[in-house]
Amino acid sequence: KDIAISADTSRVFSLTKQGLLNVWELENLRLVWTHSFQKEAVGIHVCKSSSKVYVAFEREINSLALNADNVYSIMSSYTLQFKSKITAFKVNFNEKLFGIALDPGRIEIYETENEEHKFKLLCFVSLDSPNASVNFIDFSLDNLYLLFKYGQNEVEMIDLSIQKKIATTALDFDIEWLSEGLLISEKTKGALALYKVHASGAQKEEEKQITSLVTKVTKINEKTIAVTDRIGTIRLFSYPCDSNTKANYFGCYAEHLSNITQCYVSPQRDVMITSSEVDRCIFVWNIISHDPNHAPKDGDREDDESPT
């Protein structure tokens, strides 16, 4: 369901849809801790500034802390329960806020730290379509905005400084998004157009709807993004990529059998992790400097770029 990496890139966290949380040592992929919550999982966030781990379930959010025995335990004061179903969960860049989407039609934003030492509701907004379910939410890198998408192409945005919705015409080219927001960013439109050109050969019958195959757009570094899809490929493009010129396409990696559901880059930008719910594999990739003159062709990869 979700994966994450610790701040020091020493551990990998994997969370299944059924609520099984596993913690692995990245160096040797040894399992060091596991716990079955036996709840429908939504997502996980491993904090960069502390040892806390936030785990979102269908109707509950838990906070875990690492104790002296190197074991994670639930912090009861940092637990939230909901009557409505949680469909999306996201922590902002400085980890002072998180947002959740509740089904149907409601976004809530919480403070993670305050004088009461518990999660505290900051604000909430309702969707223009009150019966719609949210596909994803995302924070801007500067912590000023929250974006959410629902339905086919309905997008709304919250200005966190005034804690109110603002017109989507305010979507500025210069806004940087943490993750899912990159799917609709002006800075990735060229990459998605190039993706249609290069992937259509593999899925000719779906050429008109090829971009619906994209599952994630992930920033590898300040100049490169990875686009993953439902046919199991990872394609690298330049960033920003607002035009579909061939020079913006770097290559394709096809290790997964199908449907890459998660793609996550370590805080140090030296490791990338991908997972697929179909082949049930988690691949750990070493990120190396990109040389445009030696970019791999479709279907090829250099040996030192293979997953470990």
Side-chain angles (χ1 to χ4, degrees), residues 18-33:
Q18 294 74 28
L20 176 63
L21 176 59
N22 289 324
V23 183
W24 315 77
E25 285 186 352
L26 182 59
E27 185 175 3
N28 53 23
L29 293 183
R30 182 175 68 89
L31 184 64
V32 295
W33 189 77

Side-chain angles (χ1 to χ4, degrees), residues 40 57-61 80-86:
E40 193 83 5
F57 300 100
E58 193 175 56
R59 299 183 188 276
E60 184 173 309
I61 294 178
L80 289 175
Q81 294 182 330
F82 301 88
K83 293 182 179 180
S84 300
K85 180 180 177 181
I86 299 173

Side-chain angles (χ1 to χ4, degrees), residues 11-254:
R11 292 185 169 185
V12 177
F13 296 72
S14 64
L15 179 68
T16 69
K17 187 176 181 180
Q18 294 74 28
L20 176 63
L21 176 59
N22 289 324
V23 183
W24 315 77
E25 285 186 352
L26 182 59
E27 185 175 3
N28 53 23
L29 293 183
R30 182 175 68 89
L31 184 64
V32 295
W33 189 77
T34 184
H35 182 75
S36 177
F37 290 91
Q38 298 182 336
K39 303 174 185 176
E40 193 83 5
V42 175
I44 183 173
H45 177 85
V46 178
C47 293
K48 304 181 294 292
S49 56
S50 70
S51 62
K52 291 181 182 178
V53 177
Y54 301 138
V55 187
F57 300 100
E58 193 175 56
R59 299 183 188 276
E60 184 173 309
I61 294 178
N62 290 154
S63 179
L64 310 180
L66 189 64
N67 61 29
D69 297 324
N70 212 30
V71 174
Y72 288 93
S73 58
I74 296 176
M75 304 172 65
S76 58
S77 61
Y78 285 93
T79 296
L80 289 175
Q81 294 182 330
F82 301 88
K83 293 182 179 180
S84 300
K85 180 180 177 181
I86 299 173
T87 60
F89 167 76
K90 177 67 67 174
V91 179
N92 76 335
F93 182 71
N94 64 15
E95 298 177 336
K96 293 183 179 181
L97 301 174
F98 70 79
I100 59 170
L102 296 172
D103 195 11
R106 182 179 169 102
I107 303 291
E108 295 186 352
I109 301 173
Y110 288 81
E111 293 179 341
T112 60
E113 298 288 347
N114 52 66
E115 66 281 356
E116 299 176 26
H117 301 289
K118 63 180 182 180
F119 295 139
K120 184 177 180 180
L121 180 63
L122 181 65
C123 66
F124 67 89
V125 300
S126 298
L127 274 62
D128 289 342
S129 300
N131 295 321
S133 294
V134 172
N135 304 121
F136 67 75
I137 60 178
D138 198 14
F139 284 96
S140 61
L141 195 60
D142 57 13
N143 305 300
L144 295 179
Y145 303 99
L146 183 142
L147 177 80
F148 54 97
K149 179 179 179 292
Y150 59 94
Q152 291 297 318
N153 292 296
E154 299 296 326
V155 177
E156 297 187 36
M157 197 161 71
I158 299 173
D159 184 333
L160 297 174
S161 64
I162 59 176
Q163 300 176 16
K164 292 182 179 180
K165 286 192 297 183
I166 59 175
T168 53
T169 52
L171 279 170
D172 193 287
F173 182 84
D174 292 329
I175 295 179
E176 295 281 350
W177 301 102
L178 290 181
S179 51
E180 285 86 352
L182 291 168
L183 283 166
I184 58 174
S185 170
E186 291 290 331
K187 293 187 176 183
T188 61
K189 283 188 174 180
L192 296 180
L194 282 167
Y195 173 88
K196 179 176 180 178
V197 171
H198 288 277
S200 59
Q203 294 282 322
K204 206 71 176 178
E205 70 280 5
E206 299 185 40
E207 185 170 354
K208 292 182 180 180
Q209 298 178 342
I210 197 70
T211 52
S212 67
L213 294 176
V214 173
T215 55
K216 295 280 183 180
V217 177
T218 306
K219 282 185 69 175
I220 294 179
N221 52 44
E222 293 304 313
K223 296 183 179 180
T224 312
I225 55 174
V227 177
T228 58
D229 59 32
R230 301 183 191 279
I231 57 177
T233 66
I234 304 168
R235 299 172 191 270
L236 302 185
F237 299 89
S238 64
Y239 183 83
C241 185
D242 55 340
S243 66
N244 60 351
T245 57
K246 292 183 179 180
N248 289 326
Y249 177 58
F250 299 151
C252 175
Y253 303 82

Side-chain angles (χ1 to χ4, degrees), residues 241-277:
C241 185
D242 55 340
S243 66
N244 60 351
T245 57
K246 292 183 179 180
N248 289 326
Y249 177 58
F250 299 151
C252 175
Y253 303 82
E255 296 290 344
H256 286 286
L257 297 179
S258 181
N259 198 14
I260 300 175
T261 51
Q262 297 296 332
C263 182
Y264 191 92
V265 175
S266 65
Q268 288 78 16
R269 305 289 177 182
D270 57 348
V271 170
M272 182 174 74
I273 297 180
T274 56
S275 67
S276 168
E277 63 182 359

